[in-house]
Amino acid sequence: MANSFDLTGKTAIVTGANTGLGQAIAVALAEAGAKVALVGRSSMAETEAMIADVGGQGLPISADLATLDPIERIMDETVSWAGDADILINNAGIIRRADALEFTETDWDAVMDLNLKSVFFLSQAFARRLVAAGKGGKIVNIASLLSFQGGIRIPSYTASKSGLAGLTRLLACEWAARGINVNAIAPGYFSTNNTDALRADPDRNAAILARIPAGHWGQPKEIGGAAVFLSSEASDYVHGTVLPVDGGWLAR
Ligand code: NAD
């Protein structure tokens, strides 16, 4: 039986692929057979080495997604390297922490620009090329538990990730009939730079761990399977969903 999770012959673009969840997703897609364009503002050397170790191919593309400037270049560099782009993983994201009473416009704009605005316009550039070529593709947005919950001290992050869930559904509704699947993954509490501050705070760390049915912080490798699923033929009839990968947090 053909393996419907196989990504051989596909090309993926992963933003924020140098570390954390983006790195783990890039390696998982490469293991499943995809060529992977590694987009971000930091060195991709570690991710390139991990991809080479699994026998895959990666192309680093230097881009700061705080603005829309690099978007067309990301598409151009990917297509001139691989001939095509079939999968887009919108993973790059930042978080800024402060009480809502003190939160600044700078911290609002920085988070919304990267986590939401750049995601929309990169998805638009990616989808325009698919539509022009008359072919389908896959978009996977990395959302959050804060797509479902309020949280505390992260107003722009919660707004961006809740907005991203809505955007995922809107794009799915517009593009499903064109063969473009738009879905999201909502990671729970994973051990990455994004959550350093929480793990460093003994009270928050203990409270978070006590609520996770699986009993441990997610390890980046544990996100890979969901990303491969939503990037592959196995999910061809899945549109507009936000899939929690959270050790059971939301079930609690
Ligand atoms: P991380 O901080 O390790 O990774 C963030 C990535 O975004 C890095 O690769 C970074 O270089 C990139 N990035 C930041 N600013 C950028 C910019 N201006 N241009 C291009 N790239 C930029 O954290 P992570 O946990 O791996 O986060 C990845 C995604 O997962 C984020 O969208 C985050 O919100 C989401 N997420 C993480 C968790 C968690 O528990 N770690 C939970 C829910 C959602």
Side-chain angles (χ1 to χ4, degrees):
M1 192 181 121
N3 175 2
S4 60
F5 294 86
D6 185 15
L7 299 179
T8 304
K10 303 292 185 189
T11 300
I13 298 170
V14 181
T15 66
N18 59 298
T19 184
L21 301 185
Q23 179 178 66
I25 290 169
V27 173
L29 297 180
E31 269 185 302
K35 295 170 85 168
V36 188
L38 309 166
V39 177
R41 52 179 189 168
S42 314
S43 164
M44 294 294 162
E46 189 178 274
T47 311
E48 288 181 82
M50 291 167 79
I51 287 178
D53 279 350
V54 299
Q57 292 179 69
L59 174 77
I61 297 179
S62 179
D64 183 343
L65 285 164
T67 75
L68 305 183
D69 297 346
I71 281 177
E72 286 303 324
R73 181 174 56 78
I74 290 167
M75 295 307 308
D76 289 343
E77 286 189 28
T78 303
V79 172
S80 55
W81 171 61
D84 230 340
D86 309 282
I87 299 159
L88 171 64
I89 312 284
N90 286 307
N91 165 79
I94 53 170
I95 191 163
R96 297 279 166 87
R97 298 178 199 276
D99 291 347
L101 288 174
E102 317 297 338
F103 210 77
T104 65
E105 184 178 2
T106 306
D107 283 346
W108 181 270
D109 287 345
V111 171
M112 296 299 276
D113 284 351
L114 178 67
N115 293 15
L116 200 51
K117 185 174 178 183
S118 289
V119 169
F120 173 70
F121 285 101
L122 184 55
S123 300
Q124 181 191 63
F126 173 76
R128 279 179 175 164
R129 294 187 189 223
L130 291 175
V131 169
K135 51 175 275 195
K138 305 274 180 180
I139 298 176
V140 181
N141 295 322
I142 305 304
S144 168
L145 295 177
L146 287 316
S147 301
F148 301 101
Q149 301 182 306
I152 51 169
R153 308 193 70 248
I154 45 173
S156 57
Y157 188 79
T158 298
S160 72
K161 295 297 186 178
S162 297
L164 186 56
L167 183 63
T168 299
R169 291 187 281 265
L170 172 133
L171 294 178
C173 293
E174 290 207 17
W175 296 343
R178 297 179 180 274
I180 302 172
N181 297 75
V182 187
N183 290 292
I185 294 171
Y189 286 86
F190 277 73
S191 182
T192 69
N193 303 324
N194 178 289
T195 52
D196 275 347
L198 296 178
R199 275 173 292 112
D201 176 336
D203 294 338
R204 293 293 307 275
N205 185 45
I208 287 166
L209 269 179
R211 201 202 134 138
I212 301 174
H216 66 272
W217 283 79
Q219 295 306 308
K221 257 185 97 68
E222 294 177 291
I223 204 90
V228 170
F229 167 60
L230 291 175
S231 298
S232 71
E233 192 189 317
S235 61
D236 274 356
Y237 198 59
V238 180
H239 293 279
T241 198
V242 183
L243 173 63
V245 179
D246 65 352
W249 175 280
L250 286 176
R252 193 74 178 250

mmCIF file of all heavy atoms in Angstrom, residues 28 39 52 59 63 87 116 148 156 165 169 184 188 228 241 250:
data_model
loop_
_atom_site.group_PDB
_atom_site.id
_atom_site.type_symbol
_atom_site.label_atom_id
_atom_site.label_comp_id
_atom_site.label_asym_id
_atom_site.label_seq_id
_atom_site.Cartn_x
_atom_site.Cartn_y
_atom_site.Cartn_z
ATOM 1 N N ALA A 28 11.590 16.661 10.544
ATOM 2 C CA ALA A 28 10.550 15.635 10.334
ATOM 3 C C ALA A 28 10.088 15.612 8.875
ATOM 4 O O ALA A 28 9.888 14.529 8.294
ATOM 5 C CB ALA A 28 9.361 15.897 11.270
ATOM 6 N N VAL A 39 13.883 29.035 6.479
ATOM 7 C CA VAL A 39 13.776 30.498 6.435
ATOM 8 C C VAL A 39 13.920 31.083 7.834
ATOM 9 O O VAL A 39 13.278 30.606 8.776
ATOM 10 C CB VAL A 39 12.403 30.906 5.868
ATOM 11 C CG1 VAL A 39 12.250 32.430 5.877
ATOM 12 C CG2 VAL A 39 12.226 30.356 4.461
ATOM 13 N N ALA A 52 20.918 16.791 6.946
ATOM 14 C CA ALA A 52 21.894 15.944 6.236
ATOM 15 C C ALA A 52 21.990 14.578 6.918
ATOM 16 O O ALA A 52 22.088 13.541 6.248
ATOM 17 C CB ALA A 52 23.256 16.640 6.196
ATOM 18 N N LEU A 59 17.784 24.092 2.226
ATOM 19 C CA LEU A 59 18.362 25.323 1.677
ATOM 20 C C LEU A 59 18.125 26.451 2.674
ATOM 21 O O LEU A 59 16.965 26.795 2.940
ATOM 22 C CB LEU A 59 17.690 25.693 0.353
ATOM 23 C CG LEU A 59 18.135 27.053 -0.210
ATOM 24 C CD1 LEU A 59 19.514 26.940 -0.848
ATOM 25 C CD2 LEU A 59 17.116 27.598 -1.212
ATOM 26 N N ALA A 63 16.115 35.613 6.099
ATOM 27 C CA ALA A 63 14.999 36.553 5.964
ATOM 28 C C ALA A 63 14.481 36.948 7.342
ATOM 29 O O ALA A 63 14.280 36.091 8.202
ATOM 30 C CB ALA A 63 13.859 35.912 5.161
ATOM 31 N N ILE A 87 4.489 23.052 0.230
ATOM 32 C CA ILE A 87 4.099 23.059 1.650
ATOM 33 C C ILE A 87 4.669 24.324 2.289
ATOM 34 O O ILE A 87 5.843 24.650 2.070
ATOM 35 C CB ILE A 87 4.705 21.821 2.375
ATOM 36 C CG1 ILE A 87 4.186 20.519 1.754
ATOM 37 C CG2 ILE A 87 4.445 21.868 3.877
ATOM 38 C CD1 ILE A 87 5.087 19.301 2.027
ATOM 39 N N LEU A 116 1.212 37.349 12.830
ATOM 40 C CA LEU A 116 -0.060 37.374 12.104
ATOM 41 C C LEU A 116 0.064 38.016 10.717
ATOM 42 O O LEU A 116 -0.290 37.397 9.714
ATOM 43 C CB LEU A 116 -1.094 38.120 12.954
ATOM 44 C CG LEU A 116 -2.572 37.882 12.648
ATOM 45 C CD1 LEU A 116 -2.931 36.399 12.593
ATOM 46 C CD2 LEU A 116 -3.440 38.584 13.703
ATOM 47 N N PHE A 148 -7.017 29.207 21.979
ATOM 48 C CA PHE A 148 -8.246 28.738 22.633
ATOM 49 C C PHE A 148 -8.462 29.380 24.001
ATOM 50 O O PHE A 148 -9.581 29.440 24.488
ATOM 51 C CB PHE A 148 -8.177 27.209 22.871
ATOM 52 C CG PHE A 148 -7.988 26.395 21.633
ATOM 53 C CD1 PHE A 148 -6.741 25.889 21.297
ATOM 54 C CD2 PHE A 148 -9.062 26.117 20.796
ATOM 55 C CE1 PHE A 148 -6.559 25.118 20.156
ATOM 56 C CE2 PHE A 148 -8.883 25.347 19.655
ATOM 57 C CZ PHE A 148 -7.631 24.851 19.329
ATOM 58 N N SER A 156 -0.554 40.618 23.354
ATOM 59 C CA SER A 156 -0.413 40.604 21.883
ATOM 60 C C SER A 156 -0.239 39.177 21.374
ATOM 61 O O SER A 156 -0.674 38.843 20.266
ATOM 62 C CB SER A 156 0.747 41.493 21.420
ATOM 63 O OG SER A 156 1.973 41.117 22.020
ATOM 64 N N ALA A 165 -5.889 31.414 14.461
ATOM 65 C CA ALA A 165 -6.884 30.338 14.339
ATOM 66 C C ALA A 165 -8.012 30.780 13.407
ATOM 67 O O ALA A 165 -8.464 30.016 12.536
ATOM 68 C CB ALA A 165 -7.435 29.971 15.718
ATOM 69 N N ARG A 169 -9.052 29.310 9.517
ATOM 70 C CA ARG A 169 -10.391 28.898 9.060
ATOM 71 C C ARG A 169 -10.815 29.682 7.815
ATOM 72 O O ARG A 169 -11.362 29.126 6.867
ATOM 73 C CB ARG A 169 -11.404 29.072 10.198
ATOM 74 C CG ARG A 169 -11.171 28.079 11.343
ATOM 75 C CD ARG A 169 -12.276 28.128 12.388
ATOM 76 N NE ARG A 169 -12.129 29.251 13.283
ATOM 77 C CZ ARG A 169 -11.515 29.188 14.473
ATOM 78 N NH1 ARG A 169 -10.978 28.051 14.896
ATOM 79 N NH2 ARG A 169 -11.431 30.252 15.235
ATOM 80 N N ALA A 184 -3.888 24.274 11.157
ATOM 81 C CA ALA A 184 -2.931 24.761 12.164
ATOM 82 C C ALA A 184 -2.662 23.668 13.182
ATOM 83 O O ALA A 184 -3.463 22.748 13.363
ATOM 84 C CB ALA A 184 -3.492 26.003 12.862
ATOM 85 N N GLY A 188 1.144 22.530 22.775
ATOM 86 C CA GLY A 188 0.989 22.815 24.205
ATOM 87 C C GLY A 188 2.260 23.447 24.720
ATOM 88 O O GLY A 188 2.872 24.276 24.041
ATOM 89 N N VAL A 228 3.908 16.422 9.678
ATOM 90 C CA VAL A 228 3.977 15.572 8.480
ATOM 91 C C VAL A 228 2.560 15.216 8.029
ATOM 92 O O VAL A 228 2.234 15.283 6.832
ATOM 93 C CB VAL A 228 4.814 14.298 8.760
ATOM 94 C CG1 VAL A 228 4.683 13.296 7.618
ATOM 95 C CG2 VAL A 228 6.279 14.679 8.976
ATOM 96 N N THR A 241 -8.733 23.082 10.380
ATOM 97 C CA THR A 241 -8.710 22.595 11.760
ATOM 98 C C THR A 241 -7.515 23.170 12.515
ATOM 99 O O THR A 241 -6.493 23.512 11.918
ATOM 100 C CB THR A 241 -8.684 21.050 11.799
ATOM 101 O OG1 THR A 241 -9.074 20.626 13.097
ATOM 102 C CG2 THR A 241 -7.316 20.486 11.488
ATOM 103 N N LEU A 250 -5.676 20.528 26.866
ATOM 104 C CA LEU A 250 -7.018 21.079 26.628
ATOM 105 C C LEU A 250 -8.122 20.111 27.030
ATOM 106 O O LEU A 250 -9.277 20.508 27.187
ATOM 107 C CB LEU A 250 -7.195 21.466 25.152
ATOM 108 C CG LEU A 250 -6.461 22.729 24.701
ATOM 109 C CD1 LEU A 250 -6.642 22.930 23.190
ATOM 110 C CD2 LEU A 250 -6.957 23.966 25.451
#
